[in-house]
Amino acid sequence: MFNLKKKDLKELDLILLFATIALSIFGLVVLYSAYGGEIKPIMTQLFATILGFVVILILCTMDLDVIKKSYKFVYGLMLALLLMTLFLGRGLDEWGSNSWVYIGSFSFQPSEIAKVGIIFSLAAYLDIHKFDINDKKTMAKVIIMAGVPIGLILAQPDFGTAMVYVFFIAAMIFIGGISWKWIGIFVGAGLIVGFIVLTNLSGYRLDRIENFLDPTRDTSGSNWQQQQGLIAIGSGMLKGRGYLQGTQSQYGYIPEKETDFIFSVLAEELGFIGSIIVIILFAVVIMRLVMIAKDSNNTFITLMLTGIAGLLFIHIFENIAMTIGLMPVTGIPLPFFSYGGTFQLITLINIGLALSASMQKKQYDDGIVDEEAIRLIDYSMVKPEKINNKKEVINRLT
């Protein structure tokens, strides 16, 4: 499990590491302001951040080719956590879904933990079946593997988080080599399901869609949050009102300012300059994840990094877009900034996996290989005079 011989410290992606540190500090600073300058409410976030960097250090010593063999256990654990939410989950009255599990005074979100679980396990499975990904049996298993956790999350019900899963899973399958035929099938199925869902929305979910389509609708009721957030962002102008000086954020006009709408606090107090710095840092993180994935000769690492990049991108895009009126309001938090110990820890674990991969990216596949996949290889792609072993095939194709 721990194999420093496979790690090259000189290959550690320092740009990704420093961008992560900067965003973590920036996030704590803004969260402190969102809580009105009180340190006690952010102690959980601070502890999760420190623990996250400890986990990053541990992950950087681990051999990803070895731990990927535990993907079945990881997947089973992930399903167990999501099933636990169905029976023990709370939060429907406060936040619209039973997504939190309480153990005494400690609470966590299994759906957040499951994100890293499904990315890890799906990357391993797609790696095993990289040569027969478009086989009907393989694709059916992938659909079941991805669909079960999404279904459990929809049962909470948490539509926003389920859509996050759909996005990064789709990205992983696409990079995994899915054919255009399957892409067409999935897009068609997605449009049908989307139409059914949209035509059957009710309650606050329907209000969010209608408010998005008509920003002037119900500004003193269901649309109050977004309108106040927009006022805060606009009032920040170029340099902002000043740290801890935002009128909208400090006087409680913005609901959920510590979580979903924390970007409004940032924009109001630090202005366009502060906002664009954060967006640039986010862009750096995403680009470094994509570069590590692209440069890797290890299919598992490439797929895992694709999932992590997709996960962070959709969180960042949706959160910022909804606060500025470009997307409907959802309960999607902003990485490194929104309050939530589970979310913060899982975000840093994902970065830890990426940093570990950056030191192992030159390693070729040498792990588990599916027998059927080897049988289905089109050897005309390889063009050797003689193939001596499976590893030879893999190295030539990757």
Side-chain angles (χ1 to χ4, degrees):
M1 181 177 291
F2 297 95
N3 187 358
L4 292 177
K5 291 181 180 179
K6 266 196 173 183
K7 300 295 181 180
D8 185 354
L9 186 59
K10 291 184 292 185
E11 293 293 328
L12 177 66
D13 198 314
L14 293 177
I15 297 176
L16 175 59
L17 177 60
F18 291 143
T20 299
I21 293 172
L23 283 168
S24 298
I25 295 172
F26 217 144
L28 288 170
V29 169
V30 175
L31 188 61
Y32 176 77
S33 178
Y35 275 109
E38 295 183 21
I39 190 66
K40 187 176 180 180
I42 71 166
M43 290 307 294
T44 299
Q45 192 85 346
L46 179 61
F47 175 76
T49 302
I50 294 171
L51 179 60
F53 277 98
V54 172
V55 175
I56 285 176
L57 182 62
I58 295 171
L59 287 171
C60 284
T61 66
M62 299 180 75
D63 184 349
L64 298 178
D65 287 326
V66 172
I67 64 173
K68 77 177 179 182
K69 297 177 183 179
S70 65
Y71 80 95
K72 291 182 180 179
F73 171 77
V74 173
Y75 184 78
L77 181 61
M78 175 197 68
L79 289 186
L81 286 171
L82 292 175
L83 284 168
M84 182 193 303
T85 311
L86 292 183
F87 298 101
L88 303 177
R90 291 161 55 183
L92 184 63
D93 294 334
E94 298 91 340
W95 300 290
S97 64
N98 289 320
S99 301
W100 284 261
V101 171
Y102 286 78
I103 301 175
S105 59
F106 173 74
S107 66
F108 65 99
Q109 284 181 271
S111 59
E112 294 298 334
I113 299 173
K115 286 175 182 175
V116 68
I118 188 63
I119 288 173
F120 180 87
S121 54
L122 185 60
Y125 186 79
L126 291 173
D127 179 30
I128 297 170
H129 293 279
K130 58 190 165 190
F131 299 123
D132 65 336
I133 181 65
N134 291 299
D135 181 73
K136 290 180 181 179
K137 265 187 195 178
T138 302
M139 190 54 64
K141 291 177 182 177
V142 169
I143 292 171
I144 293 171
M145 192 174 183
V148 171
I150 292 173
L152 291 173
I153 292 169
L154 286 171
Q156 294 180 6
D158 189 347
F159 184 77
T161 299
M163 290 304 98
V164 168
Y165 274 68
V166 170
F167 182 86
F168 70 73
I169 288 172
M172 293 176 69
I173 295 174
F174 179 78
I175 296 299
I178 186 175
S179 69
W180 285 105
K181 179 187 77 173
W182 282 111
I183 292 174
I185 292 172
F186 288 143
V187 169
L191 290 173
I192 293 171
V193 172
F195 177 78
I196 294 172
V197 169
L198 289 174
T199 54
N200 287 276
L201 287 175
S202 60
Y204 75 91
R205 292 183 178 86
L206 179 59
D207 282 335
R208 287 177 172 178
I209 298 297
E210 291 180 345
N211 291 339
F212 169 68
L213 296 174
D214 181 9
T216 63
R217 176 184 179 272
D218 198 16
T219 55
S220 60
S222 60
N223 206 13
W224 170 266
Q225 184 183 35
Q226 189 169 53
Q227 291 301 309
Q228 294 303 312
L230 284 170
I231 292 171
I233 292 171
S235 65
M237 294 188 287
L238 181 64
K239 297 181 180 179
R241 290 180 175 272
Y243 187 58
L244 293 169
Q245 302 299 316
T247 55
Q248 299 297 116
S249 54
Q250 297 302 322
Y251 292 104
Y253 287 100
I254 309 172
E256 307 299 335
K257 62 180 179 178
E258 301 88 2
T259 52
D260 302 346
F261 270 72
I262 196 164
F263 186 78
S264 296
V265 179
L266 164 66
E268 181 182 25
E269 297 190 349
L270 303 180
F272 176 80
I273 293 176
S275 300
I276 204 66
I277 289 173
V278 169
I279 291 173
I280 289 172
L281 287 171
F282 278 136
V284 168
V285 168
I286 299 297
M287 285 191 294
R288 294 313 303 171
L289 291 172
V290 171
M291 289 305 299
I292 297 170
K294 183 180 177 183
D295 292 344
S296 177
N297 294 312
N298 187 310
T299 307
F300 167 70
I301 287 176
T302 297
L303 291 168
M304 182 178 67
L305 269 291
T306 298
I308 293 172
L311 171 63
L312 290 179
F313 172 81
I314 192 61
H315 266 276
I316 295 163
F317 174 78
E318 169 60 25
N319 183 276
I320 295 177
M322 75 179 185
T323 59
I324 61 177
L326 295 181
M327 292 288 286
V329 174
T330 59
I332 303 300
L334 185 64
F336 302 105
F337 285 79
S338 295
Y339 178 81
T342 308
F343 181 61
Q344 180 80 337
L345 180 59
I346 293 303
T347 299
L348 290 171
I349 287 175
N350 280 323
I351 295 296
L353 288 170
L355 290 170
S356 182
S358 72
M359 293 189 288
Q360 195 171 325
K361 64 184 179 182
K362 291 182 180 179
Q363 295 291 336
Y364 285 84
D365 296 294
D366 62 350
I368 42 184
V369 180
D370 184 66
E371 297 290 338
E372 182 67 10
I374 292 296
R375 189 182 69 79
L376 293 173
I377 293 176
D378 180 0
Y379 286 92
S380 65
M381 295 171 58
V382 187
K383 297 180 180 177
E385 293 184 3
K386 190 174 182 181
I387 299 295
N388 295 318
N389 53 55
K390 297 175 185 178
K391 190 173 181 181
E392 176 79 9
V393 175
I394 295 168
N395 287 344
R396 287 174 181 268
L397 289 179
T398 54

